[in-house]
Amino acid sequence: MEHPIGLSIRRGTKVYPGTVALSNVDFDLRMGAVNVLVGENGAGKSTMMKVIAGVEQLTDGKVLIDDEQVIFKTTEDAAKRGIGIVFQELNLFPNMTVAENIYIAREKTRGGIDIDKTAQRETARALMKRLEQDIDPEDLVGDLRVGQQQIVEIAKSLAQDAKILILDEPTSALSAAEVEILFRVIADLKRNGVGIVYISHRLEELIQIGDYITVLRDGVITGAQSMDGVDVDWIVRNMIGESGKDFAKEIEHPYGDEVFRAEHVSLGRVGGGMLVDDVSLSLRKGEILGIYGLMGAGRSEFLECAIGRHPHASGQIFIDGTQLKTKTVSGRIKRGLALIPEDRKNDGLVQILSIRENMTLSSLGQFTRGIQMNLKKEKRIVADFVKRMTVKIASPEHAVSSLSGGNQQKVVISKALMTDPKVLLMDEPSRGIDIGAKAEVFRVMRKLAADGLGIIFVTSDLDEVMSLSDRILVMSNGKITGEFSRETATNTALVEASAIGHKTISKNKESA
Amino acid sequence: MADQSIAAKARSSSDALLIFLKARTFIALILVFVFFAINAPNFMSTANMVIMSKHVALNAILAIGMTFVIVSGGIDLSVGSIVGLCGMVAGYLILNGIDIGLGWSMQFNTLEICLLVMLVGIGVGAVNGFLITKLHVAPFIATLGTLYVARGAAMLSSDGRTFPNLHGNPEYGSDTFRWIGAGEVFGIPVSICILITVGILAAYIAARTPLGRHIYAVGGNERAAGLSGIKVNQTKYFVYLFSGFCAALVGLIIASQLVAAHPATGDTFELNAIAAAVLGGTSMSGGRGRIAGTIIGACVIGVLSDGLVMMGVSSFWQTVIKGLVIIAAVVIDQAQQKLQARVALQAQAALGK
């Protein structure tokens, strides 16, 4: 089947002060197909898409639609030509409803003044149905989980009837089931002739869904072809320039005594029901426990209960066999717990502060005598961690916001490790970071476990949970629905366990 | 090779610009100073310097407390009223003592009076802290409320009248009260000494103590700070207590300088304090600000208004000029932030190559 070229970039170059983000790229965007774009963070994928969407302009070269040069000065210019983009960072208003967000700046109105709320609500409801999501258009976006918010973001561009739709890592917060729904929507869009650009770090996913692939490395296109015959090895080779960086190699080591135990942890949901429903689990020293499950299964909430973010949660937490009496985060950090939050930007880092200040935020006591901090010692500790974690930074005094996602994550992990924890709780540790950084993070996790740290990590990525965990728990609807050892775990078993408790919904769908 | 040297030159020029922008308030202070030294008669006289520095000290002390509050992501509108209330409390204690019934009254010496007044200031700060952390009232509203309550209480304390002749009574040991406003230590007016002490204390807290770091973190990202184990509520309590404490000091100084306490004293002082903090580079969205910058900011405002008075510029124009200076300061601050972010990104990009 022939796919017509809907948009192309010729000899596109984009120079930022001090760095060349794109250099002489030729890119063809085919309609009615999924154009996959892949590369490490900072390779220029996002820059290229920002050029197409009118966020940025090329320094040199041109963008063509139907052999005619177009210049998008703003996103509106691009939107007028039917180009929609879903950014990696969510651009939603948490204080507004789902329907209001979907129609933001394009409100359906009567006579240009009065907002037609009913029409917005109904079309939003239809969109949610198309995306097979049980989200009420009247819900506040701020009350939704990150994954659901991403669905809303996708719905927003669907509502614009875009001819070209750019999805920048749309699945990074979605669970397997939600990813499947998204893929069905994408297939549907393809049939309608929409050209889709799909950026992701999940390579299997790209192979599954892509029709054409373009690989970028350091602003240069290193591979572009149709998806036939492309495998993970080929992608990785083009991305990194060397054959295969595999995920963390196994370090065999014995487990120690039980270090962490949770008993009957429960957390109620606002408006009835349970987010975390009577979860009990235990963890041994040196063990990596993976918790797999769908979005909203209560995995993140369980970790938050453990660290003490929800003071009204019930249940007991034990460290080294003794129960934690304290309900405060600071108290629990002192007792040896540390959390790497899912939402790095909002929960993990203070963007305005420097890298050094972020790293030591949880462990200021370490170099404080009386009330005075020893700033020299602080610098030394930070330099030590920067080296150990291989954080790429120009200076620890720069704002943490100047770093790439992977390096920011390493800063968050350093912050947690500085408190000298016994148990590390990691919520989606690989979210939004490139494959190189991901491999490094995993290697660090393996090494920490070998040193006797207990690690509980939450992920929606099957490969990740399979390759990294010593033991796997599956959660669904707030409950633990399956436990697997390294030997008994299979992809199908995990997916099945993660769907337990969702049967009623799927039945409804069948009858509908 | 040539490319590299050009890039290096570009970098060093943007570095120089950055240093210039960072020192802008200081440069502005020097410029303002030089301008008035040339144009205002008697500006450079010792007498004028002393008077001016006393004016600056009052605003600077308030602004130091305000800086911590703003850095923590809040705002304290009540400081002006606390100044008024604390002055009235001091005046009342000097004139009447505390009536404990049965025809007896308790009298206090200067030190006791000062401590009680500070307690009042800290008390109002505690109310602010309670409203904001426990009852989750927005800082703007909470302190707006205490602004009115404290001002009303000051008025009620004397039915709106002035407490005059606060000379104190040697019998009770309160005759030394005047020393706060009129005395000197090693030839330096007491109010300046207080400014120096409070300034050093605050700068130390900001730079060298975990508490200071916590204030910046809470203002930068409250959620991340909480999840990092910082006691967010305690930190917020501290900044409002400290701000109330600073306001109490100013109330004492003014009452002593005037040898009288008027309930309307300190009206709109909070706005001058906010202006000084902002002029000194404090970000209203929290997480950024320096004590030294705030003090320089207070100096700019003080020198500007006193100098304009000496030049005979109408007070209406003075207000306009003050407003323009504040706006200009914020605009330049934005430019500095942009440049700073760009320099950091460039350095990061250079590393990635």
Side-chain angles (χ1 to χ4, degrees):
Chain A
M1 195 166 120
E2 199 50 45
H3 300 112
I5 293 173
L7 180 146
S8 37
I9 297 177
R10 286 289 167 264
R11 304 188 64 73
T13 300
K14 173 73 191 173
V15 183
Y16 287 112
T19 174
V20 180
L22 283 179
S23 129
N24 259 333
V25 294
D26 291 330
F27 174 69
D28 291 323
L29 197 159
R30 291 172 188 273
M31 305 302 281
V34 175
N35 304 263
V36 153
L37 203 55
V38 63
E40 294 200 279
N41 281 351
K45 303 170 307 226
S46 294
T47 308
M48 195 153 101
M49 290 309 108
K50 279 178 182 165
V51 166
I52 294 179
V55 182
E56 304 270 4
Q57 285 76 44
L58 283 176
T59 322
D60 197 19
K62 50 193 169 182
V63 181
L64 304 167
I65 292 183
D66 300 334
D67 294 329
E68 166 206 352
Q69 182 171 1
V70 288
I71 295 165
F72 298 139
K73 288 220 169 66
T74 63
T75 44
E76 280 133 62
D77 292 348
K80 270 188 208 128
R81 299 300 295 256
I83 298 172
I85 180 162
V86 177
F87 290 104
Q88 185 180 353
E89 306 284 333
L90 297 172
N91 289 295
L92 294 171
F93 302 92
N95 55 336
M96 296 189 193
T97 67
V98 170
E100 280 166 347
N101 265 285
I102 290 176
Y103 290 102
I104 197 77
R106 288 170 289 106
E107 288 82 1
K108 285 179 183 282
T109 53
R110 303 184 193 92
I113 298 166
D114 183 40
I115 294 181
D116 188 350
K117 283 202 170 177
T118 331
Q120 285 196 7
R121 197 164 50 232
E122 288 321 309
T123 41
R125 205 185 297 283
L127 277 170
M128 285 304 146
K129 206 167 174 188
R130 184 167 164 202
L131 289 163
E132 301 176 42
Q133 285 299 307
D134 188 22
I135 301 173
D136 187 349
E138 292 295 283
D139 281 348
L140 284 184
V141 163
D143 293 339
L144 301 179
R145 300 286 315 156
V146 180
Q148 292 177 313
Q149 292 186 7
Q150 210 147 17
I151 297 269
V152 173
E153 188 80 71
I154 291 164
K156 204 164 121 186
S157 31
L158 288 184
Q160 298 182 52
D161 289 325
K163 276 189 287 192
I164 293 172
L165 183 59
I166 302 164
L167 301 170
D168 194 352
E169 286 208 57
T171 56
S172 59
L174 300 189
S175 62
E178 284 163 329
V179 170
E180 241 164 68
I181 294 168
L182 177 66
F183 283 6
R184 278 205 289 279
V185 174
I186 288 178
D188 184 40
L189 290 171
K190 257 167 67 176
R191 272 195 297 280
N192 294 329
V194 175
I196 291 162
V197 180
Y198 192 96
I199 302 177
S200 177
H201 288 308
R202 299 184 179 178
L203 305 184
E204 286 83 0
E205 195 176 287
L206 295 179
I207 292 172
Q208 184 190 341
I209 193 165
D211 298 307
Y212 298 90
I213 183 164
T214 306
V215 188
L216 276 163
R217 183 170 78 226
D218 295 334
V220 181
I221 289 178
T222 51
Q225 66 171 85
S226 85
M227 205 45 121
D228 300 330
V230 167
D231 57 11
V232 172
D233 209 39
W234 182 89
I235 299 177
V236 171
R237 215 167 37 240
N238 281 292
M239 254 172 85
I240 307 180
E242 62 202 61
S243 187
K245 253 189 205 175
D246 49 357
F247 282 168
K249 281 243 172 60
E250 187 79 33
I251 307 173
E252 281 299 336
H253 60 272
Y255 306 140
D257 302 332
E258 176 190 88
V259 62
F260 173 90
R261 185 164 85 245
E263 279 183 6
H264 310 294
V265 173
S266 294
L267 177 67
R269 186 198 300 272
V270 186
M274 299 302 268
L275 279 169
V276 181
D277 196 354
D278 197 28
V279 170
S280 302
L281 59 85
S282 88
L283 177 77
R284 294 166 66 183
K285 276 180 190 162
E287 189 180 29
I288 299 183
L289 174 65
I291 302 185
Y292 175 78
L294 303 182
M295 277 281 322
R299 306 162 305 167
S300 306
E301 288 79 2
F302 169 72
L303 294 190
E304 287 172 6
C305 288
I307 196 73
R309 188 174 186 179
H310 303 291
H312 46 274
S314 62
Q316 292 97 46
I317 304 286
F318 297 81
I319 294 270
D320 282 337
T322 48
Q323 190 184 340
L324 292 186
K325 291 274 190 305
T326 169
K327 291 232 173 212
T328 61
V329 178
S330 55
R332 292 196 169 178
I333 287 177
K334 272 202 197 90
R335 293 294 303 276
L337 282 171
L339 173 73
I340 316 278
E342 174 184 14
D343 190 342
R344 202 160 42 230
K345 198 162 118 196
N346 291 319
D347 295 345
L349 293 167
V350 184
Q351 298 282 346
I352 196 171
L353 293 187
S354 70
I355 296 160
R356 168 178 57 86
E357 287 165 319
N358 268 290
M359 268 197 184
T360 55
L361 206 50
S362 291
S363 50
L364 293 174
Q366 228 187 86
F367 46 86
T368 305
R369 193 183 300 152
I371 57 162
Q372 173 157 308
M373 296 190 292
N374 183 342
L375 297 182
K376 270 192 197 133
K377 192 170 173 196
E378 182 189 21
K379 274 193 185 129
R380 218 163 42 233
I381 297 175
V382 167
D384 180 42
F385 265 88
V386 165
K387 216 160 107 194
R388 238 171 80 190
M389 299 290 297
T390 58
V391 194
K392 276 189 219 156
I393 57 170
S395 154
E397 300 307 316
H398 285 160
V400 78
S401 51
S402 66
L403 298 181
S404 68
N407 281 317
Q408 286 194 6
Q409 184 70 321
K410 286 181 194 167
V411 172
V412 178
I413 295 175
S414 306
K415 179 175 78 173
L417 291 181
M418 274 191 195
T419 64
D420 214 0
K422 292 173 181 149
V423 179
L424 200 53
L425 311 168
M426 308 178 94
D427 198 350
E428 300 276 5
S430 66
R431 186 174 171 215
I433 65 180
D434 66 60
I435 186 165
K438 204 187 263 188
E440 269 171 50
V441 166
F442 290 166
R443 200 152 35 233
V444 168
M445 286 170 70
R446 275 277 168 216
K447 177 154 184 324
L448 290 170
D451 292 344
L453 198 73
I455 297 178
I456 301 180
F457 85 105
V458 157
T459 179
S460 314
D461 189 321
L462 265 178
D463 285 328
E464 219 172 281
V465 79
M466 295 286 276
S467 65
L468 205 56
S469 323
D470 297 318
R471 188 154 57 92
I472 299 172
L473 286 178
V474 181
M475 277 183 80
S476 176
N477 267 358
K479 289 194 184 69
I480 292 182
T481 52
E483 175 162 6
F484 304 89
S485 70
R486 184 180 276 285
E487 288 76 31
T488 57
T490 61
N491 282 355
T492 24
L494 287 181
V495 172
E496 267 169 22
S498 72
I500 294 172
H502 287 278
K503 291 282 192 295
T504 45
I505 298 173
S506 52
K507 251 180 221 158
N508 285 345
K509 264 181 217 142
E510 278 159 20
S511 63
Chain B
M1 193 62 200
D3 274 2
Q4 268 174 5
S5 68
I6 290 168
K9 218 175 263 173
R11 188 161 307 144
S12 70
S13 80
S14 70
D15 280 354
L17 185 59
L18 195 59
I19 290 167
F20 176 76
L21 285 176
K22 273 183 179 167
R24 66 183 181 276
T25 321
F26 197 62
I27 294 167
L29 178 61
I30 294 169
L31 289 179
V32 172
F33 211 87
V34 170
F35 176 79
F36 287 123
I38 296 168
N39 291 302
N42 292 332
F43 182 79
M44 292 300 284
S45 70
T46 323
N48 181 51
M49 283 298 135
V50 171
I51 292 171
M52 210 163 61
S53 57
K54 279 184 172 177
H55 287 167
V56 168
L58 295 178
N59 188 23
I61 294 171
L62 284 182
I64 288 169
M66 187 66 78
T67 303
F68 274 158
V69 175
I70 296 178
V71 167
S72 82
I75 190 84
D76 189 352
L77 298 179
S78 64
V79 289
S81 296
I82 300 177
V83 169
L85 178 63
C86 286
M88 293 311 281
V89 170
Y92 185 89
L93 290 175
I94 290 169
L95 293 183
N96 307 324
I98 294 178
D99 191 357
I100 50 173
L102 305 168
W104 288 79
S105 70
M106 236 169 110
Q107 301 292 342
F108 303 97
N109 66 27
T110 305
L111 182 65
E112 288 162 348
I113 289 169
C114 289
L115 289 177
L116 283 172
V117 169
M118 286 175 201
L119 224 54
V120 171
I122 293 173
V124 180
V127 172
N128 284 335
F130 178 77
L131 291 172
I132 289 160
T133 59
K134 292 291 184 306
L135 304 183
H136 303 288
V137 183
F140 191 97
I141 305 299
T143 57
L144 184 66
T146 45
L147 176 154
Y148 285 121
V149 172
R151 182 65 70 200
M155 295 288 183
L156 282 173
S157 69
S158 68
D159 267 341
R161 283 191 296 270
T162 304
F163 287 135
N165 301 325
L166 303 179
H167 293 291
N169 189 336
E171 268 179 56
Y172 307 133
S174 58
D175 58 329
T176 44
F177 184 72
R178 288 215 55 197
W179 177 79
I180 302 171
E184 289 180 349
V185 179
F186 302 123
I188 302 168
V190 173
S191 61
I192 306 294
C193 294
I194 294 178
L195 168 63
I196 293 170
T197 315
V198 172
I200 291 175
L201 176 71
Y204 176 78
I205 290 175
R208 298 299 296 257
T209 68
L211 174 64
R213 196 65 69 75
H214 291 174
I215 294 172
Y216 283 87
V218 167
N221 184 348
E222 199 176 318
R223 281 167 56 145
L227 276 177
S228 300
I230 289 171
K231 295 180 178 116
V232 174
N233 282 354
Q234 282 182 18
T235 311
K236 284 189 181 173
Y237 254 111
F238 170 80
V239 296
Y240 290 101
L241 294 183
F242 189 74
S243 178
F245 167 75
C246 290
L249 290 179
V250 173
L252 281 170
I253 295 169
I254 293 179
S256 172
Q257 279 176 350
L258 301 178
V259 206
H262 188 271
T265 305
D267 199 25
T268 70
F269 275 22
E270 61 276 356
L271 299 182
N272 279 326
I274 295 170
V278 170
L279 209 54
T282 307
S283 157
M284 288 302 285
S285 49
R288 190 163 54 83
R290 293 165 61 94
I291 300 298
T294 296
I295 294 175
I296 295 173
C299 288
V300 172
I301 291 180
V303 170
L304 201 62
S305 48
D306 281 19
L308 289 172
V309 169
M310 293 179 75
M311 278 179 67
V313 177
S314 94
S315 69
F316 304 142
W317 272 113
Q318 285 178 38
T319 318
V320 171
I321 291 170
K322 200 156 87 178
L324 292 177
V325 167
I326 292 166
I327 293 169
V330 175
V331 171
I332 298 172
D333 185 56
Q334 292 297 328
Q336 182 206 329
Q337 291 313 310
K338 253 188 211 154
L339 185 67
Q340 208 164 340
R342 211 178 71 198
V343 168
L345 279 176
Q346 273 172 4
Q348 198 61 36
L351 197 73
K353 269 179 197 166

